[in-house]
Amino acid sequence: MAATDLQTMNIAKSIVDVRAAVAAARGAGKKIGLVPTMGALHEGHLSLMRAAREECDYLVVSIFVNPTQFSPHEDLDRYPRPIEEDLRGCGDEGVDLVFHPDVATIYPAGDQTIVEAVELSTIVEGAHRPGHFRGVTTVVLKLLNIVAPDVAYFGRKDYQQQLIIRQMCRDLALPVEIATCPTIREADGLALSSRNRYLSESERETALSLSQCLQFACDRVAAGETDLTALRQEMVQRMQQTPGVELDYATIVDAETLSEDAQPTARLVALIAARVGTTRLIDNMVIEPTDSL
Amino acid sequence: MAATDLQTMNIAKSIVDVRAAVAAARGAGKKIGLVPTMGALHEGHLSLMRAAREECDYLVVSIFVNPTQFSPHEDLDRYPRPIEEDLRGCGDEGVDLVFHPDVATIYPAGDQTIVEAVELSTIVEGAHRPGHFRGVTTVVLKLLNIVAPDVAYFGRKDYQQQLIIRQMCRDLALPVEIATCPTIREADGLALSSRNRYLSESERETALSLSQCLQFACDRVAAGETDLTALRQEMVQRMQQTPGVELDYATIVDAETLSEDAQPTARLVALIAARVGTTRLIDNMVIEPTDSL
């Protein structure tokens, strides 16, 4: 099956080619799914493709390292781009169409339009990466307009990102469903990330402190902790006591508004961002409200 | 025919109703045209409807006074809203669907997403009305997403607006054609505007100075004037010498970039904005390059 899919997988560089392929699929009554990625595909991305494959009849994957979501000092240049391997991965998952545009296709000369969910984009992760989410919403809106999928799939690993994209789609009345799929983790808890390949073996060990800190917070809430302010402080202390970690933030907030002014009985999300060596990692865990509280 | 059209004209307040009506029309193979308006319809709006009626099979007109394109000190509250008269006008023009949403339909609670063509939106008119074009692009994108027309129609009277909307659609890869229709003028040259109804009889007379100043600039270029800097100064002087006029700007710029750094042989546009009494008016004239230069 993988061999057959590889043969029929279409690779498009241009917007017109994507539109033609998707229009043909839609004309055949197919439900269109889009998995937007920056490539360097891992099991997290593949799980999105499998979810899309399950629910849709025509699966589009975009591979585009979006420059506008990187700040000047960030890792745009060294961001991994293993395109051959990525295309093989897509083929193996039965992807129908890979959209792999050049930067000039997405940002043509004179391009100047930005899209921003102004409140959600400037807090938590957004406070540490000014302009990052503006770059995300701008490129995702372009991709949604180009592909016009029925459903677009995002990973919960980028919790704030999927929340912001949902907000954008709601606010702009985009006729698309946003699906969020669970974070995929290694057996020891490390959340999969394209940036994990930057980590040395010892850094990878140190990086476990992120998911462990989140799990600690989840366990405390499950055990009945209602003082979220104190819990936040404990999370920060844990991370600051971990050698080799430079913490950006560790917090627990309302899962919808990302506000620290959260009820302990609400749906919550614990969020963390830290540098391990030169690699910046993020992770999160959602804490569903329990009836027992 | 007007009576029949009135009977079949659909009026929708909700997004789902618009989508259902447009989906049915599209399902019947019809080409969809949208004329976005803030109501207070005049011959300029009607000319857009006629152009759309000519080219499309299903004509949608939106009537929505968009609060986000008004600054706090501007005329949002007193902006005319003669909805009964507007609906009659739409009926007479054979409009198939009027979308007349409440503010909460377009800006639901928690709405926070903005769209901006950042360069074009901050010069000329944008420099005098900060945030205005951001409000325009945001609402127009919402309307385009809700109606999903094949063609959307705008008046050249709002020259910079139609330029910015074209830029937005290009940048965001929106699958819609933007059509710009000529400014409609009274016999004496006054550009039609919903705000003209604010003018007293003597103010209306004074308001003629705007189109006269633009015509003066056009005539000078046609007569071979190549010193645009001097011509701009003459435009400003003319307006400043007109009693009852408070000038915001009078300029002549490149018709694509709106830059004053324009070649006199390029396609140009003369633009003007001024207050007559308490009423702020804008007007423009496009100067096509001539082979004789």
Side-chain angles (χ1 to χ4, degrees), chain B residues 235-251:
Chain B
M235 292 173 72
V236 169
Q237 274 164 16
R238 274 182 75 103
M239 294 308 293
Q240 285 174 340
Q241 286 161 7
T242 308
V245 167
E246 197 188 318
L247 184 68
D248 267 1
Y249 59 84
T251 190

Side-chain angles (χ1 to χ4, degrees), chain B residues 2 9-10 23 28 33 43 50 101 136 140 144 148 156 183:
Chain B
M9 188 173 76
N10 203 342
E43 278 294 319
R50 286 166 202 155
V136 169
V140 168
L144 291 175
R156 187 171 292 158
T183 303

Side-chain angles (χ1 to χ4, degrees), chain B residues 61-82:
Chain B
V61 171
S62 62
I63 300 180
F64 179 64
V65 181
N66 174 37
T68 65
Q69 71 189 71
F70 291 80
S71 292
H73 65 280
E74 290 182 350
D75 60 341
L76 173 62
D77 288 340
R78 74 160 178 158
Y79 199 86
R81 292 170 173 83

Side-chain angles (χ1 to χ4, degrees), chain A residues 26 31-36 48 51-52 55-60 144 147-154 166 175-181:
Chain A
R26 191 176 300 287
K31 184 175 179 181
I32 315 292
L34 170 64
V35 178
L48 299 179
E55 295 168 14
C56 299
D57 310 304
Y58 189 82
L59 172 51
V60 185
L144 292 175
V147 178
D150 297 290
V151 192
Y153 295 80
F154 296 86
R166 285 174 182 278
V176 62
E177 180 192 332
I178 302 300
T180 305
C181 299

Side-chain angles (χ1 to χ4, degrees), chain B residues 38-41 63 79-88 197:
Chain B
M38 298 213 300
L41 304 178
I63 300 180
Y79 199 86
R81 292 170 173 83
I83 185 65
E84 295 301 326
E85 196 183 318
D86 286 347
L87 291 177
R88 263 198 309 278
R197 51 183 92 189

Side-chain angles (χ1 to χ4, degrees), chain B residues 164-185:
Chain B
I164 286 171
I165 288 165
R166 286 174 180 276
Q167 181 76 43
M168 170 184 77
C169 292
R170 195 182 308 134
D171 290 350
L172 297 180
L174 277 170
V176 63
E177 180 192 330
I178 302 300
T180 304
C181 300
T183 303
I184 306 297
R185 299 181 180 280

Side-chain angles (χ1 to χ4, degrees), chain A residues 62-117:
Chain A
S62 63
I63 299 179
F64 179 65
V65 181
N66 174 38
T68 66
Q69 69 189 72
F70 291 79
S71 291
H73 63 281
E74 290 182 350
D75 60 341
L76 172 62
D77 288 340
R78 73 162 178 158
Y79 199 87
R81 293 170 172 83
I83 185 65
E84 296 301 326
E85 196 183 318
D86 287 347
L87 291 177
R88 263 198 309 278
C90 291
D92 289 346
E93 295 302 329
V95 170
D96 296 292
L97 174 66
V98 173
F99 179 37
H100 179 48
D102 294 327
V103 171
T105 299
I106 301 297
Y107 298 101
D111 179 277
Q112 59 179 265
T113 303
I114 56 93
V115 183
E116 186 169 40

Side-chain angles (χ1 to χ4, degrees), chain B residues 227-237 250-254 259-262 268:
Chain B
D227 185 345
L228 298 185
T229 307
L231 185 48
R232 276 178 215 118
Q233 286 169 354
E234 288 182 83
M235 292 173 72
V236 169
Q237 274 164 16
T251 190
I252 183 162
V253 294
D254 184 278
S259 167
E260 293 201 337
D261 186 17
L268 301 170

